[in-house]
Amino acid sequence: MNIEQEINALRKELHEHNYRYYSEDAPIISDQLFDEKLARLKALEEQHPAFYDPNSPTQRVGGAVTKSFKTVVHAQRMYSLDNSYNKQDLLDWEARMCKNLGVDQVDYTCELKYDGASISITYQDGKLVQAVTRGDGIQGDDVTQNVKTIRTVPLQLTGLSIPEKFSIRGEIMLPTAGFLAMNEQRIAAGEEPYMNPRNTASGSLKLQDSKAVASRPLECYLYQIVATRPLFSSQLESLEAAIRWGFRVPKHFIHAPNMDAVFHFLDYWEQERSHLPYEIDGVVIKVNQMAFQEQLGYTAKSPRWAMAYKFKAAAAETVLESVTYQVGRTGAITPVAQLRPVLLGGTVVKRASLHNADFIKELGLHDHDTVLVEKGGEIIPKITAVKLEKRPLDAKEIVYATHCPECNTLLVRNADEAQHYCPNALGCMPQRVGRVAHFISRKAMDIDGLGAETIQLLMQHQLIDSYADLYSLKEVDLVPLERLAEKSAQNIVHAIAASVTVPFSRVLFALGIRYVGQTVAKKLAQHFGSIDALMQASVEELVQVEEIGERIALSVVAYFRVPAHHQQIEKLRSAGIQLSQTVAAPASTLLADMRFVVSGVFELYSRDELKAVIEQNGGKVASSISANTTYLIAGDKMGPAKKDKAVSLGVPIISEIEFNALLKP
Ligand code: AMP
Ligand code: ZN
């Protein structure tokens, strides 16, 4: 096989594995083997740029940067859908259509109505050539580079009788779990969480850096094939063809022979939708026969042959009892509506987030207002309206807090931010406790056993002033504290001591510098190599680093201007915390005769670096686990199959930190 053939074979194979993994949830090779093949392809492509292919599976990782998105006119307009809210609306619609068509009955397809960002993707000769957002329906933005990173979008189609050129429409979604995980990371970095998955999905498509898009857990469902000539005789056939060609189509679509069957589907999903891993806001009902679709045609806005049925958001009326304010670790203030408890969609709701001062203003909220709370697709209940007719006569408009509810410091608000802040970072209890809680959290120093209450007790007893003092705690300090048994005191002290091996990038994240999340911390650690170098860096130097913008740079510089932070860092230094990148271990024979398997994603090393370190120290790296394997080194997101195999063969599973310990003679 020559190089070109090998490249082509790898591409074909990887396209197939991608499809099996992401669209069918049924992979047939291990993640590691997949990664190895992908790495091989990437290397070959780099060595032989003549064989560049814009649709290669290596394009998934992103890299292209779009400075401004080109406007593209849709070859066929992207219509919106008429809405219906009850069954009578649907019966009326059916009657209109039957009259129009001169028939007694039509059959339908029912598809879930995904609440995401609509997209139109064009394929030519089976290859993805362009992806355009809906825009105003007539023209949208070219977001091809970003859409290519979404793994459920096929870059290359498979199967027979694929039309030379066509477009397919669908919805780009952020599943709930991925959305929540993204928000967790943002909160950990001291950033405001995103409001809802839909806006976050459409915002993702407009990111300039496609690598950032690739890192988001976006998915795509495709449901409508559009071509210049009719390709199918029914919507059902077109969905089935789309599946054969490699598209992921709405998971739960059905063919409904009549309106009764449609109603059945609606009732079912109205109940079941809360169990779906993503948000839907209704069902789309489409006339199945294409001949009928053509006869019915379009109004100025929407097809006459399709109808959205919108689910009612679960809503309830209740009374606002008060507005309280939460203070986060970074001092950000979140106003919270305390509500008279009310039953909503099966759970008792007592609180709703009010986000910020602007949100309260927009609602025009007054004391003791009667409000409408909804839990639609959204995860957190929200106040959607105020019942003006029920407002007490003497009610006063809510005045936003001027001072911190915890430490009474005057709140500040920067011109370009929605959130108020308590600037008393060093004296405000929830901020002080929050910073320690962040420092010990799993993705930071990973110190188990200390809850927020214990931290507060430690502070109240003046046993610690900041996280840096954790390292001078002794068991005897902890035992007298309420609720702390001797055993757990011992465990905590051990866990604190063990955290000295946590790598520098995680220490940097643990410090809790505003806007320095895990990814930014890694970039900074790699670039500067040590806390001392980072402390010296100017804003100009910081913005030179990939992905570091001015906002982050200013925050880093401001952090190191505070003398108390220097004292804390010096305490961490004397405790032996890693304040610089560990340099690659020198060559040795420490790992001679050991066989390693490496799986997952690591904090301290890239997978290749880890393999290199093993080999430099005389160890061997194998791709699959056998009885001869000495250790499985497990990172984040390790494949479950690997883990099971290691367990069943009794191969010890170690972390990268435990691996580092092996390198210490
Ligand atoms: P609306 O935005 O309320 O006018 O609803 C129309 C939008 O619903 C379309 O533009 C699509 O983006 C979206 N949609 C979601 N799921 C489907 C589906 N299964 N079939 C058609 N459109 C859908
Ligand atoms: Zn405060």
Side-chain angles (χ1 to χ4, degrees):
M1 201 160 36
N2 66 28
I3 298 289
E4 186 176 9
Q5 285 164 334
E6 182 177 1
I7 288 181
N8 286 335
L10 275 170
R11 282 178 184 156
K12 182 157 181 279
E13 199 187 336
L14 289 168
H15 278 308
E16 277 169 22
H17 289 310
N18 245 317
Y19 177 68
R20 284 181 193 274
Y21 189 97
Y22 289 106
S23 294
E24 289 189 332
D25 292 327
I28 52 166
I29 61 168
S30 70
D31 293 2
Q32 176 157 356
L33 196 54
F34 182 90
D35 290 347
E36 278 165 15
K37 285 179 191 280
L38 194 67
R40 167 87 184 138
L41 176 59
K42 202 158 172 238
L44 287 175
E45 286 179 350
E46 272 160 17
Q47 287 157 19
H48 306 278
F51 304 129
Y52 172 77
D53 169 7
N55 290 66
S56 167
T58 53
Q59 299 290 308
R60 295 289 194 202
V61 293
V65 172
T66 315
K67 283 281 175 222
S68 69
F69 296 94
K70 200 170 59 182
T71 305
V72 178
V73 176
H74 293 296
Q76 282 97 4
R77 186 173 157 179
M78 283 179 88
Y79 286 93
S80 70
L81 292 173
D82 276 343
N83 289 324
S84 59
Y85 299 93
N86 55 54
K87 292 177 180 166
Q88 190 56 47
D89 289 348
L90 290 174
L91 291 170
D92 294 347
W93 172 56
E94 176 166 67
R96 278 198 307 278
M97 286 193 298
C98 285
K99 190 163 164 232
N100 198 331
L101 295 168
V103 297
D104 294 333
Q105 204 178 333
V106 289
D107 61 329
Y108 304 94
T109 60
C110 296
E111 299 160 24
L112 300 183
K113 185 172 190 297
Y114 296 95
D115 202 8
S118 358
I119 193 81
S120 178
I121 311 179
T122 304
Y123 286 82
Q124 173 128 33
D125 302 320
K127 292 185 196 313
L128 187 159
V129 290
Q130 194 175 50
V132 183
T133 63
R134 178 174 139 144
D136 61 3
I138 300 184
Q139 54 184 38
D141 291 324
D142 183 333
V143 290
T144 311
Q145 294 304 333
N146 286 345
V147 168
K148 275 189 185 173
T149 67
I150 301 172
R151 285 163 171 75
T152 39
V153 174
L155 299 175
Q156 167 77 58
L157 304 180
T158 48
L160 298 172
S161 49
I162 296 169
E164 194 184 319
K165 186 168 182 175
F166 69 97
S167 296
I168 186 161
R169 269 122 198 220
E171 206 79 0
I172 291 180
M173 310 276 299
L174 200 52
T176 312
F179 173 74
L180 293 177
M182 278 173 69
N183 266 352
E184 232 174 69
Q185 283 189 10
R186 284 182 75 83
I187 293 166
E191 294 172 314
E192 255 180 81
Y194 293 116
M195 285 269 221
N196 64 50
R198 184 199 333 109
N199 294 355
T200 313
S202 55
S204 303
L205 293 182
K206 297 297 203 53
L207 293 175
Q208 293 191 344
D209 179 2
S210 62
K211 261 205 201 108
V213 185
S215 75
R216 295 191 173 185
L218 297 163
E219 293 190 355
C220 184
Y221 285 95
L222 295 153
Y223 43 70
Q224 195 77 39
I225 294 176
V226 201
T228 43
R229 60 183 177 84
L231 297 170
F232 304 98
S233 64
S234 71
Q235 166 72 1
L236 192 68
E237 269 178 37
S238 73
L239 289 175
E240 283 164 352
I243 296 174
R244 285 198 304 277
W245 298 340
F247 291 107
R248 177 186 253 216
V249 309
K251 270 224 169 109
H252 303 282
F253 71 92
I254 59 155
H255 175 219
N258 52 43
M259 204 42 102
D260 274 344
V262 172
F263 289 172
H264 191 78
F265 188 83
L266 298 180
D267 292 341
Y268 180 78
W269 284 107
E270 182 125 40
Q271 290 302 318
E272 278 305 301
R273 70 163 162 153
S274 58
H275 299 133
L276 285 169
Y278 40 74
E279 294 187 348
I280 60 170
D281 60 345
V283 167
V284 183
I285 303 136
K286 297 174 186 168
V287 169
N288 188 35
Q289 303 303 328
M290 293 294 174
F292 287 164
Q293 290 192 6
E294 265 166 60
Q295 275 186 58
L296 290 164
Y298 296 81
T299 69
K301 264 186 54 230
S302 44
R304 289 199 188 84
W305 46 264
M307 185 64 88
Y309 176 88
K310 294 255 180 148
F311 290 138
K312 279 179 272 316
E317 233 181 73
T318 187
V319 174
L320 174 72
E321 293 191 323
S322 64
V323 175
T324 58
Y325 300 85
Q326 276 174 3
V327 187
R329 146 177 92 78
T330 60
I333 306 290
T334 310
V336 180
Q338 303 292 335
L339 304 168
R340 184 173 297 163
V342 62
L343 198 64
L344 181 61
T347 49
V348 177
V349 173
K350 293 186 211 147
R351 270 174 224 100
S353 169
L354 292 168
H355 304 294
N356 54 51
D358 294 340
F359 186 84
I360 296 176
K361 249 233 159 71
E362 269 163 41
L363 280 173
L365 208 56
H366 282 51
D367 285 328
H368 305 295
D369 261 342
T370 299
V371 294
L372 211 59
V373 242
E374 278 190 12
K375 206 153 113 191
E378 249 103 36
I379 298 143
I380 305 157
K382 58 175 183 191
I383 295 181
T384 52
V386 174
K387 295 268 166 186
L388 290 179
E389 65 280 13
K390 296 200 177 163
R391 176 172 290 166
L393 281 174
D394 57 347
K396 295 202 178 50
E397 195 170 349
I398 299 288
V399 181
Y400 201 82
T402 51
H403 291 75
C404 175
E406 303 281 344
C407 73
N408 215 25
T409 305
L410 188 67
L411 299 180
V412 295
R413 182 184 188 179
N414 295 333
D416 56 341
E417 281 180 1
Q419 225 70 16
H420 282 73
Y421 281 88
C422 166
N424 181 19
L426 298 177
C428 186
M429 191 52 108
Q431 296 188 53
R432 295 175 60 206
V433 173
R435 280 194 299 268
V436 180
H438 170 73
F439 183 82
I440 64 175
S441 63
R442 203 172 56 78
K443 293 193 167 145
M445 302 304 279
D446 195 15
I447 300 172
D448 230 9
L450 275 176
E453 280 171 39
T454 317
I455 296 168
Q456 186 153 349
L457 277 176
L458 288 170
M459 288 190 160
Q460 280 161 349
H461 287 76
Q462 267 137 36
L463 288 165
I464 62 169
D465 182 47
S466 79
Y467 45 65
D469 303 317
L470 290 172
Y471 295 91
S472 38
L473 278 181
K474 294 182 192 57
E475 262 173 64
V476 287
D477 299 330
L478 289 164
V479 177
L481 295 182
E482 300 158 63
R483 285 192 288 267
L484 267 191
E486 212 166 303
K487 180 71 187 148
S488 69
Q490 191 183 18
N491 289 345
I492 292 169
V493 173
H494 279 174
I496 293 171
S499 72
V500 298
T501 58
V502 166
F504 174 49
S505 69
R506 273 171 56 186
V507 175
L508 197 52
F509 169 62
L511 295 182
I513 305 171
R514 203 162 151 207
Y515 306 132
V516 178
Q518 283 171 279
T519 321
V520 169
K522 245 188 234 176
K523 293 257 141 90
L524 291 174
Q526 261 160 23
H527 188 92
F528 291 98
S530 72
I531 197 108
D532 298 303
L534 181 62
M535 270 195 257
Q536 304 296 324
S538 63
V539 172
E540 294 72 38
E541 284 165 322
L542 282 158
V543 294
Q544 299 298 314
V545 184
E546 195 191 342
E547 278 179 50
I548 308 296
E550 187 163 83
R551 191 183 58 143
I552 300 173
L554 286 170
S555 165
V556 171
V557 169
Y559 182 88
F560 289 118
R561 275 213 197 104
V562 178
H565 293 157
H566 285 260
Q567 288 160 18
Q568 288 166 13
I569 289 165
E570 287 322 308
K571 281 187 193 169
L572 294 178
R573 198 192 302 275
S574 24
I577 302 297
Q578 308 288 321
L579 295 175
S580 58
Q581 284 291 66
T582 25
V583 267
S588 79
T589 51
L590 283 167
L591 307 180
D593 301 329
M594 294 192 191
R595 302 174 79 90
F596 294 86
V597 172
V598 174
S599 177
V601 182
F602 297 91
E603 297 273 338
L604 191 48
Y605 302 101
S606 74
R607 208 129 85 177
D608 290 338
E609 280 165 1
L610 188 54
K611 289 179 185 171
V613 171
I614 294 171
E615 281 162 4
Q616 277 158 22
N617 290 285
K620 292 212 163 53
V621 183
S623 60
S624 60
I625 299 173
S626 71
N628 292 333
T629 308
T630 321
Y631 290 109
L632 167 62
I633 311 180
D636 233 17
K637 304 202 194 94
M638 175 178 68
K642 279 239 159 63
K643 187 174 170 187
D644 292 347
K645 182 130 190 230
V647 171
S648 72
L649 291 173
V651 172
I653 305 178
I654 61 172
S655 70
E656 56 187 318
I657 292 173
E658 289 166 305
F659 168 75
N660 274 354
L662 297 178
L663 296 172
K664 301 226 165 79

